[in-house]
Amino acid sequence: MSIAAAMIKYANLPPALPPLLAVVVDTEEEFDWGRPLDRSEVGVTSIPCQERMQEIFSRYGIIPTYVMDYPAATTPLSRDYLRRLHKDGLCEIGAHLHPWVNPPYEEEVCNRNSFPGNLPPDLERRKLAALTQAIQENFGIRPRIYKAGRYGIGPSTMEILEELGFEIDLSVAPHTSFRASEGPDFRSHADRPWLAGASQRILEIPLSIGFAGPLAPVGPTMFRLIDQPLGRRLHLPGLLARTRLLERICLTPEHVDLSAQMRLTRSLLKQGKRVFSFCYHSPSLAVGHTPYVRSEEQLRDFLSTCDAYFRFFSEEIGGQFISMSKLQRALAPAARSSHPGLEPPPYLDIRT
């Protein structure tokens, strides 16, 4: 079947439900984001620091999903902290594959191989199987939720997820291309939930990335035109963003301020989107591990921004917070319908 003929089967909320927001934490080791990857960098001291964010979550009744990689799942310090949260019903658990720190260690450690979907299919499967087994052994559950490290899904990922019993994937970053880093290109992906995989058993819940500003209704088309070498040389994406004619915004506290998060939310609601995915990286909860938090003051601002956004979503938007497993149950598959300009790429294998 040609991709043009493929149809996306969307998963829509029942009309009676309010806007819903789920929180996802990329739960991983600390490493220097500006240096080459190193298999020896497996520290997880920042993970118990999530307690400061858990206090905020508790105020709003938020049950986050900690998608964890191999060091987070197997190191006693992080394992014991996350196991306690899970036992107390304060979080859900998922898998997050960082290939360079996940056995079996057979591939060269390099930028291309840091995207799991770039690995040979058998190696990608064996690495994810090893992570799945580690989580099952250490937490007593088999993970059903997956988010590829670096959003790195590839041609075989959905088949592997189905084989290993996953039901939810969080790996898609709409309106974003990682081609410059040898990663996937998500600019043609839908920015609302749909059913993926050959049997359409995988619920794809993309990261909330979208457009705000007067040009938002034509944002996907226009951004693809200006986000090209010539457009970047002329600084067109930055110019449109600074004038707020067209901003591409991600729903995260990492280098995205509260005002921008609010503009994105209002814009997505105006476009009919009612499912929101809010994310950050676990090392951002300790000073010095990510570019987003370099001082104690920045950490306080990071936490207060999250608090203020959750208050805005609850009180001003009238939204509610939901765990990923409950969101899966709430989403009702819609009638199959195509979405002009947003046909799924071949590796998602979405079929009529």
Side-chain angles (χ1 to χ4, degrees), residues 1 5-13 190 192-206 331-339 342-344 348-352:
M1 176 186 297
M7 307 288 273
I8 298 176
K9 185 176 182 182
Y10 290 116
N12 293 334
L13 286 179
R192 56 191 176 104
W194 76 88
L195 299 181
S199 61
Q200 296 190 328
R201 293 200 309 269
I202 306 293
L203 174 62
E204 184 65 55
I205 302 178
L331 286 166
R336 292 174 178 146
S337 60
S338 63
H339 197 302
L342 291 175
E343 291 88 357
L348 290 186
D349 198 22
I350 301 172
R351 304 173 181 175
T352 55

Side-chain angles (χ1 to χ4, degrees), residues 77-234:
L77 177 68
S78 53
R79 178 201 63 198
D80 293 348
Y81 174 74
L82 293 166
R83 189 158 55 187
R84 177 179 63 80
L85 290 182
H86 185 257
K87 181 180 178 181
D88 292 344
L90 299 177
C91 74
E92 293 189 337
I93 296 298
H96 186 53
L97 180 56
H98 277 188
W100 63 97
V101 289
N102 194 120
Y105 305 115
E106 299 176 3
E107 80 285 8
E108 176 190 1
V109 177
C110 62
N111 185 68
R112 176 176 173 77
N113 288 339
S114 68
F115 297 92
N118 285 341
L119 298 173
D122 180 63
L123 183 56
E124 181 185 8
R125 182 192 62 78
R126 286 186 288 128
K127 281 181 177 285
L128 185 52
L131 175 58
T132 300
Q133 183 64 27
I135 293 173
Q136 186 167 5
E137 290 177 355
N138 285 298
F139 292 86
I141 62 163
R142 190 169 182 85
R144 301 181 302 108
I145 304 168
Y146 179 65
K147 183 176 183 181
R150 307 196 73 193
Y151 306 99
I153 55 176
S156 302
T157 303
M158 291 298 150
E159 180 181 352
I160 293 168
L161 293 180
E162 289 184 317
E163 177 187 341
L164 295 178
F166 285 88
E167 299 176 6
I168 301 172
D169 180 65
L170 311 173
S171 303
V172 170
H175 314 301
T176 305
S177 175
F178 298 100
R179 279 186 176 177
S181 301
E182 302 182 87
D185 184 347
F186 294 117
R187 288 176 297 178
S188 293
H189 284 58
D191 54 8
R192 56 191 176 104
W194 76 88
L195 299 181
S199 61
Q200 296 190 328
R201 293 200 309 269
I202 306 293
L203 174 62
E204 184 65 55
I205 302 178
L207 180 61
S208 290
I209 300 178
F211 298 95
L215 297 177
V218 294
T221 300
M222 177 166 285
F223 195 81
R224 292 195 71 176
L225 292 174
I226 65 174
D227 190 30
Q228 300 290 339
L230 177 60
R232 290 192 291 270
R233 283 199 299 271
L234 296 174

